[in-house]
Amino acid sequence: MTSVPLISVFNVDDSLKVTDKHIPLPAVFSAPIRPDIVHFVHSNIAKNRRQAHAVHPQAGMQHSAESWGTGRAVARIPRVAGSGTHRSGQAAFGNMVRKGRMFAPIKVWRRWHRRVNIKQKRHAAASAVAATGIVPLLLARGHRISQVPNIPLVVEDRLESYEKTKDAVAFLKRFGAFEDVQKVISSKVIRAGVGKARNKKYRVRKGPLIVYFNENAKLTQAFRNVPGVEVVNVNRLNLLQLAPGSQLGRFVIWTQSAFAQLDKLFGTYRYTSVLKDGYQLLRPLVSNADIAKIINSNEVQEKVRQAKVHQSRHDVQKKNPLKNSKALDVLNPAAKLARAAARAENEKNRKTQKKIKKDKALKKASRKHFGTIQKNLNDASTRAIEEEKDIKVKYFQVQRSAADAPEK
């Protein structure tokens, strides 16, 4: 909530000049920010612009189809009659089939509009107005207000006499608000979905909102062609414009008379509203939002009990016997002996396995050595046989040559 006692009124022709008039901050700017109420009211009143629409009553039902019944190993959905075409035998009517109707076809007598309580709408509007004076909310909403001289921005009533768009653009540039308009221009994109074929092809962001007082003001004609800029009479403040999309923090430019009218419109915490019968501003849940400061204040700390130190939450922490061996020994004294026996058995098995592995290694080495010796013996015997064979061959050759010599 804003807590500035007096708001300066700026000269329309110069953003650096402040007039002699100062307006007390309206009480509505001290109203609590209630996004829950704003979201509920916005989501309901936004439905009141909807037009009734429906699908054709006979859509998806204009088929000559009948179920085949049971016993044919197919679903009992109605099927198109006839033969000789692809269409015959295809399912019909159901919402899950091709060329079938939709589930729960939309009718024009659907409950399109919503009624919202008047007090809820007034609380939501007051909360949205209060949010327009909080700079972080404006920045979080995406408005470009780094060059704006003051928030909330209040200017002279001469703004209501503007008729030309060039004068309106020059005014926005003087007060640093045209940067927000440029953001709107650069944000223009083609809408996703079928909405682009329903007279809303483009989607753009929101720019400044001009709030005026005089019913016959001419500024509506001057600002109507500036992208993103909207104008509204202070007596017809609309939540859809103050918090588009139920997002609080719209950048608002007030005229002097419109700003002074807010106390009559919403009332104060002392008096009820003049224009809204019996309306009283919603009071904040806490007057000071700094909870840490409240807790640490002397008044609260005097009544608060001193913090306890070195105090355990439990006398004995419960242990899980399945994971904690000591807890298991308490419940089962034989568990310790069982663990020792298991360890001894494991050690015995480990030694046995080690001996078995050693014996296997020795057997493998001996087999390998025996195989090497056997191979060497076989090679030696093979060589001896071959040598003996060579000697016999040479002997018979000598005998044959000696026998053939006398014949010559």
Side-chain angles (χ1 to χ4, degrees):
M1 59 184 68
T2 308
S3 59
V4 181
L6 291 176
I7 300 298
S8 301
V9 179
F10 286 86
N11 192 320
V12 177
D13 300 325
D14 191 351
S15 62
L16 300 178
K17 290 184 179 179
V18 179
T19 62
D20 298 334
K21 300 177 182 178
H22 293 79
I23 303 177
L25 184 71
V28 67
F29 282 91
S30 300
I33 307 299
R34 294 294 301 273
D36 52 342
I37 298 178
V38 171
H39 178 73
F40 174 79
V41 174
H42 185 282
S43 62
N44 280 279
I45 65 176
K47 297 176 182 178
N48 294 333
R49 295 180 58 188
R50 297 189 294 181
Q51 291 181 344
H53 63 275
V55 296
H56 193 277
Q58 297 298 323
M61 299 296 292
Q62 295 175 317
H63 304 290
S64 177
E66 188 176 354
S67 175
W68 288 355
T70 60
R72 299 186 64 175
V74 293
R76 285 175 284 185
I77 190 78
R79 297 178 183 276
V80 177
S83 62
T85 64
H86 293 293
R87 184 60 178 151
S88 61
Q90 290 183 356
F93 298 153
N95 65 302
M96 78 296 290
V97 304
R98 181 171 175 264
K99 293 188 176 182
R101 54 162 174 77
M102 67 175 289
F103 168 76
I106 302 175
K107 304 295 183 181
V108 292
W109 55 79
R110 172 181 286 197
R111 190 169 68 97
W112 301 100
H113 300 157
R114 299 291 185 271
R115 179 192 173 277
V116 185
N117 293 342
I118 292 178
K119 187 174 288 188
Q120 280 184 316
K121 289 191 287 187
R122 290 172 176 175
H123 284 330
S127 183
V129 171
T132 61
I134 302 176
V135 175
L137 290 180
L138 271 67
L139 295 174
R141 205 183 175 284
H143 289 292
R144 308 291 192 266
I145 56 172
S146 58
Q147 305 298 325
V148 178
N150 190 34
I151 296 293
L153 180 59
V154 183
V155 297
E156 292 178 309
D157 289 337
R158 286 193 293 129
L159 179 65
E160 298 181 358
S161 62
Y162 280 14
E163 296 185 42
K164 297 291 185 179
T165 302
K166 64 179 181 180
D167 297 335
V169 172
F171 163 77
L172 294 174
K173 290 182 178 179
R174 280 196 300 272
F175 283 86
F178 195 73
E179 185 181 359
D180 204 36
V181 176
Q182 290 176 327
K183 174 209 68 175
V184 173
I185 296 173
S186 62
S187 69
K188 185 177 181 180
V189 293
I190 296 178
R191 185 184 301 275
V194 77
K196 65 170 70 71
R198 293 175 178 166
N199 294 328
K200 43 186 176 180
K201 182 177 181 181
Y202 298 101
R203 181 175 61 85
V204 294
R205 302 287 296 276
K206 293 289 186 179
L209 175 66
I210 313 294
V211 181
Y212 63 95
F213 174 73
N214 188 5
E215 289 288 351
N216 298 321
K218 300 177 181 179
L219 83 164
T220 56
Q221 193 172 4
F223 284 97
R224 67 183 178 183
N225 203 30
V226 183
V229 179
E230 297 177 336
V231 293
V232 64
N233 190 287
V234 67
N235 295 313
R236 293 187 293 273
L237 286 175
N238 188 355
L239 183 66
L240 300 177
Q241 292 178 316
L242 289 172
S246 74
Q247 187 69 33
L248 293 167
R250 181 75 184 267
F251 175 33
V252 180
I253 301 175
W254 307 84
T255 62
Q256 179 181 344
S257 300
F259 199 71
Q261 182 76 356
L262 290 177
D263 274 341
K264 294 182 180 179
L265 196 63
F266 292 98
T268 64
Y269 287 113
R270 179 176 294 184
Y271 305 106
T272 59
S273 171
V274 176
L275 302 177
K276 300 178 186 294
D277 187 23
Y279 175 69
Q280 181 77 42
L281 278 175
L282 190 65
R283 293 189 176 274
L285 298 179
V286 291
S287 59
N288 185 4
D290 192 353
I291 305 299
K293 185 177 180 181
I294 296 174
I295 294 175
N296 296 322
S297 63
N298 295 331
E299 293 81 357
V300 175
Q301 290 298 321
E302 288 176 356
K303 304 297 182 182
V304 173
R305 185 180 58 198
Q306 293 296 324
K308 295 180 179 180
V309 294
H310 304 299
Q311 183 180 12
S312 61
R313 291 179 177 270
H314 312 284
D315 295 336
V316 178
Q317 185 177 5
K318 184 178 180 181
K319 304 289 186 180
N320 186 358
L322 299 177
K323 297 182 179 180
N324 191 295
S325 58
K326 293 184 179 180
L328 182 61
D329 294 341
V330 174
L331 296 176
N332 183 13
K336 188 174 183 180
L337 299 175
R339 288 198 303 273
R343 283 196 297 268
E345 185 68 22
N346 289 337
E347 184 65 20
K348 181 180 177 181
N349 292 338
R350 188 180 65 81
K351 291 181 179 180
T352 304
Q353 290 294 328
K354 188 175 181 181
K355 186 175 182 301
I356 292 173
K357 287 182 180 179
K358 187 176 180 180
D359 294 342
K360 285 184 178 180
L362 288 174
K363 287 182 180 180
K364 186 177 180 181
S366 62
R367 283 197 300 269
K368 184 177 181 182
H369 183 63
F370 178 77
T372 303
I373 294 174
Q374 188 176 11
K375 182 180 179 183
N376 292 337
L377 291 175
N378 291 336
D379 293 343
S381 61
T382 303
R383 285 194 301 269
I385 293 171
E386 289 180 354
E387 288 177 359
E388 183 180 356
K389 185 177 179 181
D390 292 341
I391 291 171
K392 289 181 178 181
V393 171
K394 290 180 180 180
Y395 173 76
F396 284 119
Q397 288 177 352
V398 171
Q399 292 292 331
R400 182 176 293 179
S401 62
D404 293 342
E407 294 179 3
K408 295 180 180 180

